[in-house]
Amino acid sequence: MEQTPEELDAVVIGAGFAGLYMGHQLRDRLGLRVAVLEAEDGVGGTWHLNRYPGARCDIESFVYCYSFSRELYREWEWSSKYPAQEEILRYLEHVADRFDLRRSIRLSTRLTSATFDGTHWLVSTDTGAAFRARFLVTGVGLLASAPFRPAFPGLETFTGRWCHTGDWPRTGMELDDLAGKRVGVIGTGSSGVQTIPVVAEVAERLTVFQRTPQYAIPAQHHTIGPDELARLRNSYDEVWSAAHSSLGGFPCDPIPRSVLADTPEQRNAEFEKLWQRGGLHFVLATYQDLLFDLEANGYAADFARDKIRERVRDPRVLEMLLPPKDQPIGAKRPIVETNYFETYDRDNVELVDVRADPIVEVTPTGIRTEGGHHELDVIILATGFDAVTGPLLRLNITGRDGRALRDEWAAGPASYMGLAVSGFPNLFTITGPGSTFGNIPVVAEHHIDWIADLIGHMLDAGHSCVEASRDAQREWTTTMARLAEKSLIPLADSWSTGANIPGKPRTVLFYLGKYSTYRKICNGVAADGYRGFEFS
Ligand code: N01
C-alpha cells in the first residue's frame, strides 16, 4: 500500500556514477532534502549489474572516475589500465562511504511512476514508499537498466541456465560455475567480445552466435605499477584539463589533418602507433575525418581488417569474422578486446554465423539453427540494451497537463541539450538523449554540476519552476540533426541510433560534436541567464 508521501526537495533516481554525485551536490552543496532511489540492493548502477566474466571498462581508469574531489582522485589506487567491474564497484562503494551518501540512498526501491502535479513531482515506488519533491533528477544511465532480450522462441523451455550480460545473476553463474559446461553466447558487441575469451578458457565447449562481424581494437591492457600510479595521482590538473578540452571526455591527441593528406606509408605508421596505444584512441584520437568521410574511414577499416587476418588461422572462420568492406569502422561504438580473435582458434570454440544459419528456436537442451542443433547447458545473451531512451521510458514519467514522456517521445526523443524536456518542469535528465557521446562519468559530472548550479540559481532568485522552452528544444534537435548529417555514426544499425531494437524509432540519440564544444555550449547557456529556459 502506498504510504503518505515524504516531503523532500529532490528525488534522484539511480545510485550509479550519476546518482551518487548528484545526491552529494544537492544535499551537501545546496543543503536540500534529498532521497536517491536505487532499484538494486547495492550502489554502483551499471557496475553493480554487469557482473559477467571478463567485464571491464574500456576507458582508462585514471579518467573513468570522478574529478570533483582532488583528494579522492589522489587516494584511489587503480590497479590496471582498464579497470575490472569489481574494482569500479569497489570505487563507487568507497565514494558512497567517503561522502557519507548511504544515509540518503534508499536501496531496493524501484521507482514505479513520477507525476508532476503542477508544482511538485509525486513519486511512487514498488515498496510503497512515496515522495513529493520539487525536483526530479534521473541518473539512470544510458544502458544498464534496460537490457534487451530478443524474443527467441522457446527460451522459456530451456532447462539449463540463461541470463543477460547486463543483468548477471549474483549466484550460480561465476566463472567457476561455467567450468566444464557447454556454453552458448549470442551477440558479439562489447559485452560478448569481453566475455567470450574468458568463458572459452573454462567451458567444455563455447558456441558463439554472431550476427554482424565487428572491428575490435586491442586493449593493450596492462597493470599499473607504482611509478605509473604515482605519476597519474600527481597529474590531476593535467588529466582533467585535457579531458575537459577533449573530443570524447578523455585525454587524447587527435591528428589535425585528413587521412587523405598522408602517404600510404605515413598513414600506416600513424594507424600502427594508435593500434599499439590500444583501445578507443584508434577511432577517436585519430585523423580528423575518420568518422566523417567514407574514403578516409576506409583506410582505417582496411588496416583493422588486416590486423584480424594476422590473428585468425582458420580461413573459414576468418571469413566469418571479417567485417564487410562497406561497414565503416567506428560507426558502431568501437569495441576494445583482449585475446578475442585468437579464441576462435581454440578446439573448444565454434562460431555460428546467424545471418547464414539463423536461430530457429531455443529448445530445452540448446539452440536450434537452420543448420542443426547446438547442445548447451548455459545460454548467455550478450544482446545489448534499449539504450538512452529505454531507461527513462521505464520510469513512467508524466509531466505538465498529464503529458506522458512515452507519448511525447513516441516518434523519437526531443530534449534541450540532453538535460531537460519541454513540458516536464523541474525534471533533469543526466546524460539524457541529446547530450554528448563521451566518457560517461565525465559527461555526467559536468551535467550534475550544471544542474546543481541551475537549482542553486533558482533558490537564490526565488523561482519555483524551470522548464526548457519548445523553441530551444526544437533548435537543439536541428543542431543535432545537422551534426549527424556530417557523421558516419548514423550509418550503423546500432544502439546509438535506436536501430538495434525492433520497432524503436531510428534517430540520432546524441549530439555528435566534440565533448569540449558541448560543454562550452551548456556553460554558455548558463552564463547567458539560462537561455532557452523559462522560469516561474
Ligand atoms: O551490446 P551491443 P553490448 N540475434 O548492442 C547482437 C557498453 N559496454 O552489451 O551487431 C542475434 O553493442 C548484436 O548483433 P548486431 C558500450 O558502450 C561497454 O555488447 O546488431 N544477435 C550485437 O552483436 C557498448 O557499446 C563495455 O547484428 C543479436 C550484440 O547482440 C554498449 O555497452 C562493456 C540479436 C549486441 O551488442 C553495448 O554493448 C560492455 C539477435 N536477435 C558494454 N540481437 C566496456 O566498457 C542483438 N544481437 C568494455
Side-chain angles (χ1 to χ4, degrees), residues 442-456:
V442 172
V443 177
E445 207 179 26
H446 168 241
H447 275 186
I448 291 159
D449 289 337
W450 193 95
I451 293 165
D453 286 350
L454 171 51
I455 294 177

Side-chain angles (χ1 to χ4, degrees), residues 146-156 162-165 185-187 209 211 354 359-362 367 379-386 394 500-502:
F148 169 54
R149 303 175 184 90
F152 294 113
L155 187 56
E156 69 291 348
W162 72 269
C163 67
H164 188 282
T165 47
V185 176
I186 306 177
F209 299 87
R211 188 164 68 181
V354 300
I359 294 175
V360 178
E361 61 174 349
V362 178
I367 291 180
I379 297 174
I380 297 173
L381 301 184
T383 44
F385 301 88
D386 178 2
R394 280 161 198 234
N500 64 326
I501 303 296

Side-chain angles (χ1 to χ4, degrees), residues 243-285:
H244 292 152
S245 55
S246 71
L247 189 86
F250 59 91
C252 61
D253 298 307
I255 304 169
R257 57 182 185 277
S258 162
V259 177
L260 310 177
D262 275 1
T263 64
E265 293 71 27
Q266 282 166 333
R267 67 177 169 251
N268 279 340
E270 293 288 4
F271 286 148
E272 186 61 38
K273 222 176 353 168
L274 289 165
W275 201 259
Q276 295 313 326
R277 169 83 174 76
L280 300 178
H281 292 261
F282 186 77
V283 171
L284 296 177

Side-chain angles (χ1 to χ4, degrees), residues 56 58 143 188-191 194 211-212 332-333 382 384 495:
R56 197 176 274 286
D58 61 8
L143 301 159
T188 54
S190 296
S191 305
Q194 278 191 331
R211 188 164 68 181
T212 308
K332 282 193 180 200
R333 161 77 160 73
W495 62 261

Side-chain angles (χ1 to χ4, degrees), residues 73-101:
Y73 187 81
R74 285 183 58 90
E75 275 160 26
W76 189 259
E77 298 186 3
W78 292 109
S79 70
S80 53
K81 177 179 179 188
Y82 295 110
Q85 173 266 335
E86 314 84 78
E87 192 171 7
I88 306 173
L89 185 56
R90 242 188 304 119
Y91 170 77
L92 292 171
E93 285 170 344
H94 169 72
V95 169
D97 291 330
R98 192 188 188 290
F99 296 95
D100 188 23
L101 297 172

